[in-house]
Amino acid sequence: MTGNGNDIQWCFSQVKGTMDDDITEADIISTVEFNHDGELLATGDKGGRVVIFQREQTNKSNPNYRRSEYNVYSTFQSHEPEFDYLKSLEIDEKINKIKWLRRKNPAHFLLSTNDKTIKLWKVSERDKMIEGYNTKAENGIMRSPSAVKSLHIPLLKPMELMVEASPRRIFANAHTYHINSISVNSDQETYMSADDLRINLWHLEITDQSFNIVDIKPQNMEELTEVITAAEFHPIDCNLLVYSSSKGTIRLCDMRSSALCDKHAKLFEEPEDPTNRSFFSEIISSISDVKFSHSGRYMITRDYLSVKVWDLNMDTKPVESYQVHEYLRSKLCSLYENDCIFDKFETCWNGADSQIMTGSYNNFFRIFDRNTKRDITLEASRENAKPRAVLKPRKVCTGGKRKKDEISVDCLDFNKKILHTAWHPTENIIAVAATNNLYLFQDKV
């Protein structure tokens, strides 16, 4: 059954990025993340840049009405391309993940990572400057204290607002393989980073040591059968973490049981349907993303064709399963040949854990309503990019006669893919990364 998720009418709000058809590789968005109150939205790109957008402040004429427009707040170069001389490997500057820390003071803090190095950034505002130093001239040159004839108190003078981003910590040299996930613990003191074979636990104040808490590397690499694809801390219980694998399994670990969490507390795995068994079964069962619900009771996993909802109290099978683009099952051979079958789609919850969003091809994205069991396919397109324009549901035709508003599965553009999405923590505002453009949609008010 198809219809609007919870009958929300989604409408266009904004699009960020250039209109050019000629896309620069460095401009392709590689991660999107709202902060905890949704006032800031961060994106990272393949060029190593982080762009932070801030929500427009309250409307003066109507204080109760908040517009969902976001404008650039700060842009900074987080990572630069590097070269590992020992392994003769180039290290891309591409930002793999951004995670916000909860706010403790007027400044904002976030973690950003590329394949090897994690950085803690402080983003702060300055709207006052100090004037009238005793030992420093206005041009910044230091005076000799003996030249000071009288003392006066320096004054704070207003200045134009300046937003500064400065690296506070750099966590490096702890990963042999490429980092795919970072997750801040609910204690806000520690975080973990995961690569293909290991998960490390860090303290935010300590950069020169980390603890290896999961290691699935076999003694003989020829015996390697699976890799870690994603990992996340539980939102409430600081001792629990979950990680997914390329074999389609999810392991829940409890750090209280042992220092090395190689023995999982629970293994979540769905038995394979023998009727769907094919050459591609193992590839499409690989989990590309795992996310706990805000309540901590459920988690969602995304594989190539579906999104599954798991109850932490039941590890035998998912409690809900949603088909994202089942019509591609017949196209797996060509998707394998053009490498699209290895695309890593992310997924996210809405603030109430009642809806799930994930991306697809042709700049389509899907929203599933857990209560009504209805779903909708929407498109991030500049053709609908008119303020407050309501998004029309899209349908894919798999064969037979095509209706007027439908698109044939053979006409889908596999170069246009939505891998990264984010949902505002409390409101119906969604951010969708489509190649080098960031689309913002909101419910019609």
Side-chain angles (χ1 to χ4, degrees):
M1 187 175 180
T2 305
N4 260 5
N6 203 20
D7 291 327
I8 294 169
Q9 273 202 304
W10 290 100
C11 63
F12 173 82
S13 177
Q14 285 173 285
V15 60
K16 308 286 186 184
T18 57
M19 295 262 198
D20 301 343
D21 291 333
D22 190 20
I23 298 163
T24 313
E25 180 82 4
D27 292 336
I28 295 173
I29 297 170
S30 52
T31 185
V32 185
E33 191 84 11
F34 278 104
N35 74 339
H36 292 90
D37 60 8
E39 292 299 298
L40 297 178
L41 171 64
T43 65
D45 64 25
K46 288 191 174 182
R49 294 179 296 260
V50 171
V51 181
I52 300 173
F53 300 93
Q54 184 182 44
R55 190 173 182 184
E56 203 165 280
Q57 300 309 303
T58 313
N59 189 333
K60 283 175 186 167
S61 58
N62 183 0
N64 297 322
Y65 173 64
R66 288 287 311 275
R67 292 175 71 184
S68 61
E69 280 193 10
Y70 285 77
N71 296 311
V72 174
Y73 178 64
S74 175
T75 304
F76 58 92
Q77 187 72 31
S78 173
H79 288 70
E80 302 278 358
E82 294 175 57
F83 192 79
D84 186 332
Y85 292 97
L86 287 173
K87 296 193 174 81
S88 293
L89 280 175
E90 284 183 12
I91 301 166
D92 288 339
E93 65 272 40
K94 175 193 161 200
I95 307 294
N96 291 343
K97 284 285 183 290
I98 290 172
K99 292 291 173 191
W100 291 92
L101 274 66
R102 287 194 180 273
R103 202 171 179 186
K104 294 177 183 157
N105 57 38
H108 297 274
F109 289 86
L110 61 87
L111 288 166
S112 65
T113 184
N114 66 351
D115 285 340
K116 298 287 180 185
T117 306
I118 304 146
K119 295 183 181 181
L120 174 66
W121 290 88
K122 178 186 180 182
V123 182
S124 54
E125 293 182 357
R126 212 168 64 179
D127 60 358
K128 290 184 177 67
M129 62 189 288
I130 300 171
E131 274 186 8
Y133 284 103
N134 289 292
T135 56
K136 191 158 74 172
E138 282 183 25
N139 58 7
I141 296 169
M142 299 301 289
R143 285 198 202 113
S144 167
S146 58
V148 177
K149 297 288 183 277
S150 62
L151 290 174
H152 47 262
I153 298 168
L155 298 171
L156 281 172
K157 292 274 181 79
M159 61 177 269
E160 194 181 331
L161 179 68
M162 217 166 85
V163 180
E164 297 175 315
S166 53
R168 308 300 287 178
R169 306 270 185 280
I170 295 175
F171 307 88
N173 307 320
H175 284 279
T176 310
Y177 307 99
H178 291 179
I179 297 169
N180 54 49
S181 303
I182 50 174
S183 178
V184 181
N185 200 339
S186 59
D187 64 14
Q188 294 294 302
E189 287 186 1
T190 56
Y191 77 92
M192 69 172 167
S193 55
D195 65 24
D196 298 333
L197 297 176
R198 296 189 181 100
I199 299 175
N200 291 337
L201 180 69
W202 301 83
H203 194 284
L204 284 160
E205 299 293 323
I206 301 165
T207 59
D208 59 353
Q209 67 181 107
S210 64
F211 294 96
N212 179 228
I213 51 172
V214 173
D215 187 347
I216 65 165
K217 184 184 177 190
Q219 282 188 320
N220 180 5
M221 281 295 271
E222 287 177 9
E223 294 167 13
L224 183 69
T225 57
E226 64 180 332
V227 293
I228 297 166
T229 55
E232 190 177 55
F233 268 122
H234 191 277
I236 299 157
D237 298 325
C238 61
N239 52 286
L240 294 179
L241 65 102
V242 72
Y243 69 92
S244 58
S245 88
S246 55
K247 271 193 166 177
T249 58
I250 310 105
R251 291 174 173 85
L252 181 76
C253 300
D254 190 336
M255 292 194 294
R256 294 172 302 185
S257 59
S258 65
L260 193 64
C261 299
D262 283 357
K263 291 187 173 67
H264 49 265
K266 277 188 176 179
L267 176 72
F268 298 83
E269 187 175 18
E270 185 176 28
E272 191 188 0
D273 181 358
T275 57
N276 283 334
R277 179 85 191 139
S278 73
F279 170 76
F280 305 107
S281 294
E282 208 166 289
I283 302 170
I284 62 172
S285 67
S286 174
I287 292 169
S288 54
D289 197 16
V290 58
K291 293 259 171 61
F292 278 111
S293 62
H294 297 84
S295 67
R297 171 71 188 270
Y298 300 97
M299 59 183 175
I300 40 174
T301 58
R302 171 73 208 258
D303 56 44
Y304 190 66
L305 294 178
S306 65
V307 172
K308 296 184 175 84
V309 180
W310 300 80
D311 187 326
L312 258 59
N313 299 330
M314 188 171 90
D315 53 12
T316 50
K317 63 175 184 180
V319 288
E320 296 158 35
S321 194
Y322 301 99
Q323 299 306 321
V324 178
H325 38 218
E326 184 62 22
Y327 47 79
L328 294 182
R329 196 176 281 277
S330 60
K331 304 276 174 199
L332 291 177
C333 194
S334 53
L335 290 163
Y336 178 74
E337 284 169 7
N338 64 15
D339 278 352
C340 284
I341 201 167
F342 302 106
D343 285 335
K344 291 174 171 44
F345 291 95
E346 292 173 10
T347 182
C348 63
W349 297 90
N350 72 338
D353 298 334
S354 60
Q355 296 185 50
I356 298 159
M357 174 170 60
T358 192
S360 180
Y361 293 104
N362 208 65
N363 275 3
F364 288 173
F365 60 98
R366 307 267 281 132
I367 296 175
F368 303 96
D369 190 305
R370 298 181 60 209
N371 298 326
T372 62
K373 301 299 178 206
R374 291 199 260 190
D375 61 77
I376 187 169
T377 303
L378 299 170
E379 183 182 6
S381 160
R382 285 192 177 270
E383 288 164 26
N384 312 328
K386 297 176 190 75
R388 305 269 166 202
V390 175
L391 299 187
K392 289 179 185 162
R394 301 301 309 262
K395 280 191 185 138
V396 177
C397 162
T398 50
K401 239 186 157 186
R402 186 168 64 86
K403 291 178 189 164
K404 186 186 164 201
D405 291 335
E406 291 182 342
I407 180 168
S408 166
V409 68
D410 297 317
C411 298
L412 295 175
D413 187 343
F414 293 108
N415 292 317
K416 291 180 177 176
K417 54 192 90 166
I418 288 175
L419 304 176
H420 316 287
T421 58
W423 201 311
H424 189 286
T426 55
E427 296 178 43
N428 285 325
I429 301 169
I430 53 177
V432 172
T435 319
N436 63 330
N437 292 133
L438 179 71
Y439 287 85
L440 287 157
F441 304 104
Q442 65 179 94
D443 61 345
K444 194 172 184 185
V445 282

